[in-house]
Amino acid sequence: LAKIAGLFILGLVLLLAVPKKLEKITREMGTSFAQSLSWGFMAAILTPFAALLLAVSVIGLPLAAVLMLLYIFGMLLASVFAAFWLGETVLKQATGRHWRGVDEKWALLLGVTLLVLLKCIPVIGSLVCLVLMMAAFGAWLSFEKQESKKWK
């Protein structure tokens, strides 16, 4: 229950702070799932490796610590994005309406609950959650890459 409450509260903060960004990231995840998944796995593997290489040098140790903190925070946000996408997808299938037709808070609560319950299934559930989180992480990175091109 604590995991559900924590992820739900973080998701509510995201819904209030950046609702359009959340919508665009989940749309990116839904439209190009395989590409998002590949970006997510690459980033999930290369980021700790880059932090390890930075940590080897004395000068890069603080930067490696900051990089790993950002990585952990990014994975936490990715789990909220994955939960929102999961809840949105289930509600869209159940109601036959676009996600704007249902309340975002219900989609978030359903997705967080399903994600936490999926993690309780020994092997398959953990793998499904990992895939969803990596796809969400990749969709977020892809979205941020597209947004940064707008500013150039």
Side-chain angles (χ1 to χ4, degrees):
L1 288 177
K3 286 181 184 180
I4 292 173
L7 284 176
F8 183 66
I9 290 170
L10 181 60
L12 284 178
V13 169
L14 287 174
L15 269 175
L16 293 173
V18 286
K20 295 291 183 190
K21 188 174 189 175
L22 187 61
E23 176 189 354
K24 289 177 183 177
I25 291 170
T26 53
R27 190 179 326 129
E28 175 77 25
M29 188 176 165
T31 56
S32 57
F33 191 84
Q35 181 182 5
S36 297
L37 184 62
S38 63
W39 274 107
F41 270 117
M42 265 193 327
I45 292 170
L46 293 178
T47 303
F49 183 69
L52 181 66
L53 288 177
L54 282 171
V56 170
S57 70
V58 176
I59 297 171
L61 191 58
L63 187 58
V66 169
L67 182 62
M68 286 310 295
L69 285 175
L70 289 173
Y71 176 73
I72 291 168
F73 183 68
M75 285 297 160
L76 183 62
L77 287 179
S79 64
V80 172
F81 297 147
F84 190 73
W85 178 82
L86 183 62
E88 171 200 48
T89 304
V90 169
L91 281 179
K92 188 169 35 172
Q93 293 296 321
T95 62
R97 295 188 286 180
H98 189 312
W99 79 280
R100 282 286 185 193
V102 297
D103 192 5
E104 297 91 2
K105 294 171 199 75
W106 289 112
L108 178 65
L109 182 61
L110 177 64
V112 165
T113 305
L114 288 175
L115 198 67
V116 170
L117 289 176
L118 268 173
K119 287 182 184 177
C120 294
I121 301 172
V123 175
I124 301 297
S126 297
L127 287 175
V128 169
C129 287
L130 178 69
V131 166
L132 288 176
M133 282 180 55
M134 292 300 108
F137 193 58
W140 182 30
L141 292 175
S142 178
F143 170 77
E144 292 297 338
K145 180 180 170 188
Q146 291 170 4
E147 287 295 309
S148 68
K149 285 182 182 178
K150 291 179 183 178
W151 292 98
K152 288 183 181 180

